[in-house]
Amino acid sequence: MVSTEEIYEVAVVDEVQMMADPVRGSAWTRALLGLRAEEIHLCGDDSVLSVIRKICADTGDDLLVHQYERFKPLVVEENTLRGYFQNIRSGDWVVAFSRKKIFEIKLAIETYTHHKCCVIYGALPPETRRQQAELFNQEHNEYDVLVATDAVGMGLNLSIRRVVFYTLIKYDGEKTASVPASLVKQIAGRAGRRGSAYPHGLATTFKYDLCYLTRCLEEPLEEAEKVGLFPTFEQLEMFASQFPELTFNNLLNKLCDTCRIDDTYFICQHDNMKKVADMLEGVHGLSLKSRYGFCLAPMNTRNSEAMDHLLRFANNYSKSHYVTMGLEMPSGYATNDTQFLDLETKHQVLSMYLWLAQHFGEDNFPHVQEAQTMSTNIADLLGQSLAKGCWKPQLRYQFIGQPPE
Protein backbone atom coordinates (compact mmCIF):
# COMPACT_ATOMS: atom_id res chain seq x y z
CA MET A 1 0.00 0.00 0.00
CA VAL A 2 1.45 3.34 -1.03
CA SER A 3 2.55 5.72 1.71
CA THR A 4 0.57 8.93 2.06
CA GLU A 5 3.07 10.26 4.61
CA GLU A 6 6.32 10.16 2.63
CA ILE A 7 7.08 13.10 0.34
CA TYR A 8 7.97 12.36 -3.29
CA GLU A 9 9.12 14.51 -6.18
CA VAL A 10 7.35 12.33 -8.77
CA ALA A 11 4.84 9.48 -8.35
CA VAL A 12 3.49 7.15 -11.04
CA VAL A 13 0.10 5.46 -10.69
CA ASP A 14 -0.42 2.75 -13.31
CA GLU A 15 -3.74 1.20 -14.41
CA VAL A 16 -5.54 4.28 -13.10
CA GLN A 17 -8.84 3.08 -14.61
CA MET A 18 -8.94 0.68 -11.63
CA MET A 19 -10.26 3.60 -9.58
CA ALA A 20 -13.67 2.55 -10.86
CA ASP A 21 -13.29 -1.09 -9.76
CA PRO A 22 -16.15 -1.96 -7.37
CA VAL A 23 -13.89 -3.92 -4.99
CA ARG A 24 -10.36 -2.54 -5.28
CA GLY A 25 -10.98 0.96 -6.59
CA SER A 26 -10.35 2.71 -3.27
CA ALA A 27 -6.62 1.83 -3.38
CA TRP A 28 -6.16 3.80 -6.62
CA THR A 29 -8.40 6.67 -5.47
CA ARG A 30 -6.46 6.83 -2.21
CA ALA A 31 -3.21 7.11 -4.18
CA LEU A 32 -4.53 9.96 -6.32
CA LEU A 33 -5.98 11.90 -3.39
CA GLY A 34 -3.37 11.04 -0.78
CA LEU A 35 0.05 10.97 -2.47
CA ARG A 36 2.30 13.81 -1.34
CA ALA A 37 4.10 14.43 -4.60
CA GLU A 38 4.94 17.52 -6.62
CA GLU A 39 3.90 15.67 -9.77
CA ILE A 40 1.75 12.56 -10.24
CA HIS A 41 1.70 10.66 -13.53
CA LEU A 42 -1.52 8.70 -14.10
CA CYS A 43 -1.30 5.92 -16.70
CA GLY A 44 -4.27 3.97 -18.05
CA ASP A 45 -7.24 4.19 -20.36
CA ASP A 46 -9.35 7.33 -20.44
CA SER A 47 -12.55 5.80 -19.03
CA VAL A 48 -11.90 7.70 -15.78
CA LEU A 49 -10.65 10.91 -17.37
CA SER A 50 -13.85 12.88 -16.77
CA VAL A 51 -13.90 11.90 -13.10
CA ILE A 52 -10.22 12.77 -12.72
CA ARG A 53 -10.90 16.19 -14.27
CA LYS A 54 -13.61 16.79 -11.67
CA ILE A 55 -11.40 15.60 -8.78
CA CYS A 56 -8.55 17.88 -9.89
CA ALA A 57 -10.96 20.80 -10.16
CA ASP A 58 -12.20 20.07 -6.61
CA THR A 59 -8.67 19.80 -5.20
CA GLY A 60 -7.24 22.74 -7.13
CA ASP A 61 -4.62 20.65 -8.92
CA ASP A 62 -3.52 21.31 -12.48
CA LEU A 63 -4.21 18.49 -14.97
CA LEU A 64 -2.25 18.00 -18.18
CA VAL A 65 -3.54 15.26 -20.50
CA HIS A 66 -1.45 13.34 -23.05
CA GLN A 67 -3.32 10.77 -25.15
CA TYR A 68 -1.56 8.10 -27.20
CA GLU A 69 -2.61 5.81 -30.04
CA ARG A 70 -1.51 2.21 -30.58
CA PHE A 71 1.79 1.92 -32.43
CA LYS A 72 0.68 -1.30 -34.15
CA PRO A 73 -2.79 -2.16 -35.51
CA LEU A 74 -5.08 -4.69 -33.81
CA VAL A 75 -6.92 -6.96 -36.27
CA VAL A 76 -9.83 -9.30 -35.51
CA GLU A 77 -9.40 -12.49 -37.54
CA GLU A 78 -12.19 -13.55 -39.86
CA ASN A 79 -12.49 -17.03 -38.32
CA THR A 80 -12.39 -18.64 -34.90
CA LEU A 81 -10.12 -21.60 -34.12
CA ARG A 82 -13.26 -23.73 -34.80
CA GLY A 83 -12.79 -25.48 -31.49
CA TYR A 84 -9.54 -27.22 -32.48
CA PHE A 85 -6.46 -26.92 -30.27
CA GLN A 86 -4.42 -27.89 -33.34
CA ASN A 87 -5.07 -24.34 -34.61
CA ILE A 88 -3.08 -22.86 -31.72
CA ARG A 89 0.06 -21.09 -32.96
CA SER A 90 3.31 -19.91 -31.43
CA GLY A 91 2.85 -16.56 -29.67
CA ASP A 92 -0.82 -17.16 -28.79
CA TRP A 93 -2.35 -16.17 -25.48
CA VAL A 94 -5.39 -18.35 -24.74
CA VAL A 95 -7.63 -16.45 -22.31
CA ALA A 96 -9.72 -18.28 -19.71
CA PHE A 97 -11.28 -17.02 -16.50
CA SER A 98 -10.81 -19.80 -13.96
CA ARG A 99 -7.85 -21.73 -12.64
CA LYS A 100 -9.51 -25.07 -13.42
CA LYS A 101 -10.13 -24.14 -17.04
CA ILE A 102 -6.57 -22.84 -17.45
CA PHE A 103 -5.06 -26.19 -16.45
CA GLU A 104 -7.56 -28.10 -18.59
CA ILE A 105 -6.56 -26.01 -21.62
CA LYS A 106 -2.85 -26.41 -20.83
CA LEU A 107 -3.29 -30.19 -20.64
CA ALA A 108 -5.19 -30.29 -23.93
CA ILE A 109 -2.69 -28.13 -25.83
CA GLU A 110 0.31 -30.10 -24.59
CA THR A 111 -1.47 -33.39 -25.36
CA TYR A 112 -2.70 -32.63 -28.88
CA THR A 113 0.01 -30.27 -30.19
CA HIS A 114 3.78 -29.81 -30.04
CA HIS A 115 3.45 -26.58 -28.02
CA LYS A 116 4.41 -26.10 -24.35
CA CYS A 117 2.40 -23.67 -22.24
CA CYS A 118 3.25 -21.00 -19.71
CA VAL A 119 0.54 -20.31 -17.13
CA ILE A 120 -0.43 -17.09 -15.33
CA TYR A 121 -3.38 -16.43 -13.03
CA GLY A 122 -4.06 -14.22 -10.03
CA ALA A 123 -3.38 -16.70 -7.22
CA LEU A 124 0.18 -17.37 -8.37
CA PRO A 125 2.92 -15.40 -6.56
CA PRO A 126 4.20 -12.32 -8.42
CA GLU A 127 7.63 -13.98 -8.70
CA THR A 128 6.12 -17.03 -10.42
CA ARG A 129 4.06 -14.86 -12.76
CA ARG A 130 7.16 -12.90 -13.76
CA GLN A 131 9.11 -16.14 -14.30
CA GLN A 132 6.36 -17.52 -16.54
CA ALA A 133 6.20 -14.24 -18.47
CA GLU A 134 9.97 -14.26 -19.04
CA LEU A 135 9.83 -17.89 -20.19
CA PHE A 136 7.06 -17.08 -22.68
CA ASN A 137 8.93 -14.02 -24.00
CA GLN A 138 12.15 -15.91 -24.66
CA GLU A 139 12.60 -16.67 -28.34
CA HIS A 140 13.42 -20.12 -29.69
CA ASN A 141 12.25 -22.19 -26.74
CA GLU A 142 9.42 -24.70 -26.56
CA TYR A 143 7.28 -22.61 -24.16
CA ASP A 144 5.63 -20.60 -26.92
CA VAL A 145 1.96 -20.48 -25.82
CA LEU A 146 0.50 -18.62 -22.85
CA VAL A 147 -2.65 -19.82 -21.07
CA ALA A 148 -3.76 -17.21 -18.58
CA THR A 149 -6.49 -15.11 -17.04
CA ASP A 150 -6.69 -11.35 -17.37
CA ALA A 151 -4.11 -11.20 -14.53
CA VAL A 152 -1.48 -10.71 -17.25
CA GLY A 153 -2.82 -7.20 -17.75
CA MET A 154 -1.29 -6.03 -14.49
CA GLY A 155 2.41 -5.22 -14.53
CA LEU A 156 3.66 -7.77 -17.09
CA ASN A 157 5.15 -7.01 -20.50
CA LEU A 158 4.47 -9.84 -22.92
CA SER A 159 5.28 -10.45 -26.58
CA ILE A 160 1.87 -11.73 -27.72
CA ARG A 161 1.06 -12.41 -31.37
CA ARG A 162 -2.61 -13.29 -31.00
CA VAL A 163 -5.18 -13.21 -28.22
CA VAL A 164 -7.56 -16.20 -28.34
CA PHE A 165 -10.59 -15.95 -26.06
CA TYR A 166 -11.50 -19.49 -25.02
CA THR A 167 -14.75 -18.01 -23.77
CA LEU A 168 -16.25 -14.56 -23.33
CA ILE A 169 -18.36 -15.63 -20.36
CA LYS A 170 -17.08 -14.90 -16.86
CA TYR A 171 -18.26 -15.31 -13.28
CA ASP A 172 -18.37 -11.76 -11.87
CA GLY A 173 -18.65 -12.67 -8.18
CA GLU A 174 -22.42 -12.96 -8.23
CA LYS A 175 -23.42 -14.50 -11.54
CA THR A 176 -22.12 -15.76 -14.86
CA ALA A 177 -22.26 -13.02 -17.49
CA SER A 178 -20.61 -11.77 -20.68
CA VAL A 179 -17.20 -10.22 -20.18
CA PRO A 180 -17.62 -6.41 -20.16
CA ALA A 181 -16.56 -4.64 -23.35
CA SER A 182 -13.98 -2.56 -21.44
CA LEU A 183 -12.22 -5.72 -20.23
CA VAL A 184 -12.40 -7.32 -23.68
CA LYS A 185 -10.69 -4.22 -25.12
CA GLN A 186 -7.99 -4.29 -22.45
CA ILE A 187 -7.26 -8.01 -22.95
CA ALA A 188 -7.31 -7.96 -26.77
CA GLY A 189 -5.12 -4.88 -26.74
CA ARG A 190 -2.23 -6.89 -25.30
CA ALA A 191 -1.57 -8.44 -28.72
CA GLY A 192 1.11 -6.85 -30.86
CA ARG A 193 2.04 -4.21 -28.32
CA ARG A 194 4.95 -1.88 -28.96
CA GLY A 195 8.19 -3.76 -28.29
CA SER A 196 6.74 -7.16 -29.19
CA ALA A 197 8.26 -9.26 -31.96
CA TYR A 198 5.11 -9.06 -34.12
CA PRO A 199 4.17 -6.41 -36.73
CA HIS A 200 0.54 -6.22 -35.58
CA GLY A 201 -1.81 -7.75 -33.04
CA LEU A 202 -4.47 -10.36 -33.76
CA ALA A 203 -7.59 -11.35 -31.82
CA THR A 204 -10.09 -14.17 -32.21
CA THR A 205 -12.07 -16.73 -30.21
CA PHE A 206 -11.70 -20.46 -29.74
CA LYS A 207 -15.09 -21.48 -31.08
CA TYR A 208 -17.92 -19.03 -30.40
CA ASP A 209 -18.50 -15.33 -29.64
CA LEU A 210 -16.54 -13.83 -32.57
CA CYS A 211 -19.37 -11.38 -33.29
CA TYR A 212 -19.42 -10.31 -29.64
CA LEU A 213 -15.64 -9.81 -29.70
CA THR A 214 -15.89 -7.62 -32.80
CA ARG A 215 -18.74 -5.60 -31.31
CA CYS A 216 -16.82 -5.00 -28.08
CA LEU A 217 -13.75 -3.73 -29.91
CA GLU A 218 -15.85 -1.38 -32.04
CA GLU A 219 -17.75 0.13 -29.10
CA PRO A 220 -16.55 3.46 -27.72
CA LEU A 221 -15.01 3.19 -24.26
CA GLU A 222 -17.64 3.51 -21.54
CA GLU A 223 -16.86 6.37 -19.20
CA ALA A 224 -16.84 5.72 -15.45
CA GLU A 225 -19.25 7.96 -13.56
CA LYS A 226 -17.79 7.34 -10.09
CA VAL A 227 -14.64 6.02 -8.42
CA GLY A 228 -14.21 3.97 -5.26
CA LEU A 229 -13.58 5.05 -1.68
CA PHE A 230 -13.35 3.16 1.60
CA PRO A 231 -13.22 4.47 5.19
CA THR A 232 -9.77 4.92 6.69
CA PHE A 233 -9.06 3.66 10.19
CA GLU A 234 -9.12 7.21 11.55
CA GLN A 235 -12.65 7.70 10.19
CA LEU A 236 -13.76 4.35 11.59
CA GLU A 237 -12.24 5.16 15.00
CA MET A 238 -14.04 8.51 15.17
CA PHE A 239 -17.31 6.83 14.22
CA ALA A 240 -16.76 4.04 16.78
CA SER A 241 -16.60 6.54 19.64
CA GLN A 242 -20.31 7.18 19.05
CA PHE A 243 -21.27 3.49 19.00
CA PRO A 244 -19.06 1.67 21.52
CA GLU A 245 -21.48 -1.26 21.83
CA LEU A 246 -21.28 -2.32 18.18
CA THR A 247 -19.16 -5.23 16.98
CA PHE A 248 -16.51 -4.42 14.38
CA ASN A 249 -18.60 -5.83 11.54
CA ASN A 250 -21.75 -3.99 12.58
CA LEU A 251 -19.74 -0.82 13.06
CA LEU A 252 -18.33 -1.09 9.55
CA ASN A 253 -21.76 -1.79 8.05
CA LYS A 254 -23.34 1.14 9.90
CA LEU A 255 -20.62 3.54 8.79
CA CYS A 256 -20.88 2.48 5.14
CA ASP A 257 -24.68 2.64 5.25
CA THR A 258 -24.91 6.08 6.86
CA CYS A 259 -21.95 7.97 5.39
CA ARG A 260 -22.72 10.63 2.80
CA ILE A 261 -20.41 11.14 -0.17
CA ASP A 262 -20.85 13.25 -3.27
CA ASP A 263 -21.71 11.83 -6.65
CA THR A 264 -18.06 11.49 -7.68
CA TYR A 265 -17.53 8.47 -5.43
CA PHE A 266 -19.00 5.16 -4.26
CA ILE A 267 -18.13 2.96 -1.26
CA CYS A 268 -16.22 -0.14 -2.40
CA GLN A 269 -17.56 -3.60 -1.69
CA HIS A 270 -15.92 -5.22 1.32
CA ASP A 271 -17.34 -8.73 1.57
CA ASN A 272 -13.92 -10.33 2.20
CA MET A 273 -13.22 -7.89 5.01
CA LYS A 274 -16.57 -8.78 6.59
CA LYS A 275 -15.79 -12.52 6.38
CA VAL A 276 -12.51 -11.99 8.23
CA ALA A 277 -14.22 -9.74 10.79
CA ASP A 278 -16.84 -12.44 11.44
CA MET A 279 -14.10 -15.04 11.96
CA LEU A 280 -12.22 -12.78 14.38
CA GLU A 281 -15.30 -11.90 16.41
CA GLY A 282 -14.38 -14.50 19.04
CA VAL A 283 -10.79 -13.25 19.39
CA HIS A 284 -10.69 -11.10 22.51
CA GLY A 285 -7.99 -8.60 23.37
CA LEU A 286 -7.68 -7.02 19.93
CA SER A 287 -7.91 -3.25 19.79
CA LEU A 288 -10.06 -1.64 17.12
CA LYS A 289 -6.92 -0.68 15.20
CA SER A 290 -5.50 -4.21 15.38
CA ARG A 291 -8.80 -5.74 14.27
CA TYR A 292 -8.92 -3.33 11.33
CA GLY A 293 -5.35 -4.29 10.41
CA PHE A 294 -6.04 -8.04 10.46
CA CYS A 295 -9.14 -7.51 8.31
CA LEU A 296 -7.01 -5.77 5.67
CA ALA A 297 -4.46 -8.60 5.46
CA PRO A 298 -4.09 -9.88 1.87
CA MET A 299 -5.66 -13.31 1.60
CA ASN A 300 -8.20 -15.42 -0.24
CA THR A 301 -11.13 -15.84 2.12
CA ARG A 302 -12.29 -18.92 0.18
CA ASN A 303 -9.17 -20.79 1.28
CA SER A 304 -10.09 -22.33 4.63
CA GLU A 305 -6.50 -23.28 5.46
CA ALA A 306 -5.27 -19.72 4.96
CA MET A 307 -8.17 -18.46 7.07
CA ASP A 308 -7.17 -20.86 9.86
CA HIS A 309 -3.64 -19.46 9.83
CA LEU A 310 -4.94 -15.89 10.01
CA LEU A 311 -7.11 -16.83 13.00
CA ARG A 312 -4.07 -18.38 14.72
CA PHE A 313 -1.99 -15.28 13.99
CA ALA A 314 -4.68 -13.03 15.49
CA ASN A 315 -5.12 -15.24 18.57
CA ASN A 316 -1.40 -15.25 19.32
CA TYR A 317 -1.10 -11.52 18.73
CA SER A 318 -4.06 -10.77 21.02
CA LYS A 319 -2.29 -12.68 23.83
CA SER A 320 1.01 -10.84 23.21
CA HIS A 321 2.66 -14.10 22.12
CA TYR A 322 5.26 -14.31 19.40
CA VAL A 323 3.47 -15.12 16.14
CA THR A 324 5.11 -18.07 14.38
CA MET A 325 4.65 -19.12 10.75
CA GLY A 326 3.50 -22.67 11.53
CA LEU A 327 4.75 -23.94 8.16
CA GLU A 328 7.45 -26.33 6.98
CA MET A 329 9.34 -26.06 3.71
CA PRO A 330 7.98 -28.51 1.10
CA SER A 331 10.36 -31.25 0.00
CA GLY A 332 10.15 -30.52 -3.74
CA TYR A 333 8.08 -29.33 -6.67
CA ALA A 334 4.50 -30.53 -7.15
CA THR A 335 3.76 -33.63 -9.21
CA ASN A 336 -0.04 -33.37 -8.96
CA ASP A 337 -2.68 -30.70 -8.45
CA THR A 338 -3.14 -31.38 -4.74
CA GLN A 339 0.53 -30.71 -4.09
CA PHE A 340 0.42 -27.64 -6.32
CA LEU A 341 -2.55 -26.22 -4.39
CA ASP A 342 -0.63 -26.84 -1.16
CA LEU A 343 2.32 -24.81 -2.50
CA GLU A 344 -0.05 -22.00 -3.49
CA THR A 345 -1.61 -21.95 -0.03
CA LYS A 346 1.75 -21.95 1.75
CA HIS A 347 2.90 -18.99 -0.31
CA GLN A 348 -0.34 -17.12 0.44
CA VAL A 349 0.16 -17.70 4.18
CA LEU A 350 3.77 -16.51 4.02
CA SER A 351 2.76 -13.38 2.09
CA MET A 352 0.14 -12.71 4.74
CA TYR A 353 2.69 -13.22 7.54
CA LEU A 354 5.12 -10.77 5.92
CA TRP A 355 2.36 -8.19 5.40
CA LEU A 356 1.31 -8.48 9.04
CA ALA A 357 4.94 -8.19 10.19
CA GLN A 358 5.27 -4.95 8.24
CA HIS A 359 1.95 -3.69 9.61
CA PHE A 360 2.33 -4.72 13.26
CA GLY A 361 6.12 -4.82 13.59
CA GLU A 362 8.74 -7.57 13.66
CA ASP A 363 8.75 -7.67 17.47
CA ASN A 364 5.41 -9.47 17.21
CA PHE A 365 6.21 -11.37 14.00
CA PRO A 366 9.88 -12.27 14.51
CA HIS A 367 10.42 -14.78 11.68
CA VAL A 368 10.48 -12.32 8.78
CA GLN A 369 13.83 -13.43 7.33
CA GLU A 370 12.83 -17.08 7.44
CA ALA A 371 9.45 -16.27 5.88
CA GLN A 372 11.08 -14.30 3.06
CA THR A 373 13.47 -17.12 2.27
CA MET A 374 10.74 -19.76 2.33
CA SER A 375 8.46 -17.58 0.21
CA THR A 376 11.15 -17.19 -2.46
CA ASN A 377 11.89 -20.92 -2.46
CA ILE A 378 8.21 -21.85 -2.77
CA ALA A 379 7.77 -19.42 -5.67
CA ASP A 380 10.67 -21.22 -7.38
CA LEU A 381 9.02 -24.60 -6.70
CA LEU A 382 5.77 -23.34 -8.24
CA GLY A 383 7.69 -22.32 -11.36
CA GLN A 384 9.37 -25.74 -11.55
CA SER A 385 6.01 -27.44 -11.05
CA LEU A 386 4.44 -25.53 -13.94
CA ALA A 387 7.39 -26.36 -16.20
CA LYS A 388 7.47 -30.07 -15.38
CA GLY A 389 3.88 -30.92 -14.53
CA CYS A 390 0.85 -31.55 -16.70
CA TRP A 391 -2.10 -32.80 -14.71
CA LYS A 392 -5.85 -32.61 -14.60
CA PRO A 393 -6.95 -29.90 -12.14
CA GLN A 394 -9.26 -30.43 -9.21
CA LEU A 395 -11.78 -27.99 -7.77
CA ARG A 396 -9.82 -25.48 -5.80
CA TYR A 397 -12.17 -24.75 -2.90
CA GLN A 398 -15.36 -26.30 -1.68
CA PHE A 399 -17.79 -23.68 -0.46
CA ILE A 400 -21.42 -22.65 -0.68
CA GLY A 401 -22.22 -20.62 -3.74
CA GLN A 402 -19.08 -21.71 -5.61
CA PRO A 403 -18.80 -20.14 -9.06
CA PRO A 404 -18.90 -22.51 -12.00
CA GLU A 405 -15.42 -23.40 -13.28
Side-chain angles (χ1 to χ4, degrees):
M1 188 177 291
V2 67
S3 170
T4 55
E5 301 296 327
E6 191 171 346
I7 298 176
Y8 306 93
E9 291 183 13
V10 178
V12 180
V13 180
D14 199 9
E15 305 291 355
V16 70
Q17 72 277 357
M18 289 295 292
M19 292 171 68
D21 186 85
V23 178
R24 298 178 290 168
S26 59
W28 277 263
T29 307
R30 176 180 178 273
L32 174 59
L33 293 174
L35 272 168
R36 302 177 66 186
E38 295 180 20
E39 188 171 290
I40 302 176
H41 290 249
L42 307 175
C43 306
D45 69 48
D46 56 5
S47 60
V48 291
L49 181 56
S50 295
V51 180
I52 291 173
R53 288 188 193 278
K54 183 177 185 306
I55 291 173
C56 289
D58 292 342
T59 58
D61 291 307
D62 296 325
L63 178 65
L64 182 62
V65 178
H66 294 282
Q67 292 180 304
Y68 304 91
E69 300 296 327
R70 279 185 63 99
F71 282 89
K72 300 179 181 181
L74 176 64
V75 178
V76 178
E77 293 191 315
E78 292 183 3
N79 297 308
T80 72
L81 268 59
R82 304 184 188 280
Y84 292 108
F85 287 107
Q86 291 84 350
N87 289 327
I88 295 289
R89 297 291 180 262
S90 178
D92 282 354
W93 167 22
V94 184
V95 185
F97 296 103
S98 76
R99 177 191 183 277
K100 180 174 181 287
K101 188 57 68 178
I102 281 171
F103 279 103
E104 287 177 349
I105 294 169
K106 177 182 186 293
L107 177 61
I109 291 173
E110 294 184 349
T111 300
Y112 297 114
T113 77
H114 64 279
H115 299 289
K116 289 285 189 179
C117 299
C118 294
V119 167
I120 297 174
Y121 54 93
L124 287 176
E127 307 96 309
T128 307
R129 280 182 266 169
R130 284 193 294 271
Q131 181 265 341
Q132 290 288 294
E134 290 169 3
L135 188 62
F136 175 71
N137 284 340
Q138 290 173 8
E139 295 184 15
H140 311 303
N141 74 18
E142 58 184 343
Y143 292 93
D144 58 348
V145 171
L146 177 66
V147 186
T149 66
D150 50 315
V152 305
M154 297 295 176
L156 294 174
N157 292 316
L158 293 156
S159 183
I160 296 166
R161 183 183 71 92
R162 178 174 64 175
V163 171
V164 179
F165 289 90
Y166 186 80
T167 179
L168 280 164
I169 302 294
K170 181 181 181 182
Y171 182 76
D172 65 4
E174 296 180 356
K175 63 185 183 306
T176 300
S178 296
V179 178
S182 58
L183 183 55
V184 173
K185 284 176 180 284
Q186 183 178 353
I187 293 171
R190 303 293 294 185
R193 293 281 286 269
R194 185 183 187 187
S196 75
Y198 306 105
H200 54 263
L202 300 172
T204 189
T205 61
F206 184 69
K207 191 173 183 180
Y208 305 111
D209 304 322
L210 189 60
C211 291
Y212 180 69
L213 170 61
T214 303
R215 190 164 67 249
C216 286
L217 295 180
E218 291 174 346
E219 283 184 11
L221 202 61
E222 184 178 354
E223 288 192 3
E225 297 180 356
K226 299 182 179 184
V227 295
L229 284 178
F230 195 74
T232 64
F233 170 71
E234 290 75 18
Q235 291 167 329
L236 186 65
E237 184 180 40
M238 190 182 304
F239 191 73
S241 65
Q242 305 300 312
F243 302 96
E245 76 286 352
L246 291 181
T247 64
F248 181 86
N249 225 349
N250 289 337
L251 183 71
L252 193 60
N253 287 335
K254 191 172 183 66
L255 174 57
C256 291
D257 289 342
T258 59
C259 69
R260 289 184 292 177
I261 53 179
D262 71 27
D263 58 6
T264 308
Y265 306 97
F266 62 85
I267 295 294
C268 283
Q269 299 168 16
H270 50 284
D271 292 344
N272 285 349
M273 194 174 187
K274 288 160 65 175
K275 288 178 185 177
V276 175
D278 276 340
M279 181 184 70
L280 299 181
E281 206 61 60
V283 179
H284 304 291
L286 287 177
S287 67
L288 182 68
K289 187 172 185 178
S290 297
R291 203 172 288 275
Y292 184 87
F294 275 102
C295 287
L296 287 178
M299 68 168 304
N300 189 331
T301 56
R302 293 182 295 164
N303 189 325
S304 59
E305 186 177 344
M307 289 282 277
D308 289 343
H309 279 282
L310 180 60
L311 180 59
R312 179 175 59 81
F313 293 162
N315 265 314
N316 287 343
Y317 180 83
S318 72
K319 297 171 184 175
S320 300
H321 295 166
Y322 289 132
V323 181
T324 60
M325 296 184 299
L327 295 174
E328 293 184 359
M329 184 64 197
S331 58
Y333 67 85
T335 57
N336 57 56
D337 202 44
T338 300
Q339 293 174 0
F340 193 86
L341 285 168
D342 183 61
L343 288 176
E344 277 187 19
T345 296
K346 281 182 165 60
H347 194 278
Q348 288 176 25
V349 172
L350 291 166
S351 297
M352 180 170 58
Y353 184 93
L354 291 168
W355 188 93
L356 291 169
Q358 184 178 26
H359 189 84
F360 290 107
E362 294 184 26
D363 289 344
N364 302 294
F365 294 79
H367 302 293
V368 168
Q369 188 61 52
E370 185 181 350
Q372 288 173 336
T373 301
M374 189 182 295
S375 175
T376 300
N377 291 338
I378 289 178
D380 289 342
L381 289 177
L382 283 164
Q384 293 177 41
S385 304
L386 289 172
K388 298 178 181 180
C390 193
W391 53 75
K392 187 176 180 180
Q394 64 183 46
L395 287 180
R396 191 164 170 200
Y397 307 116
Q398 298 293 340
F399 64 100
I400 297 174
Q402 182 170 354
E405 296 204 60

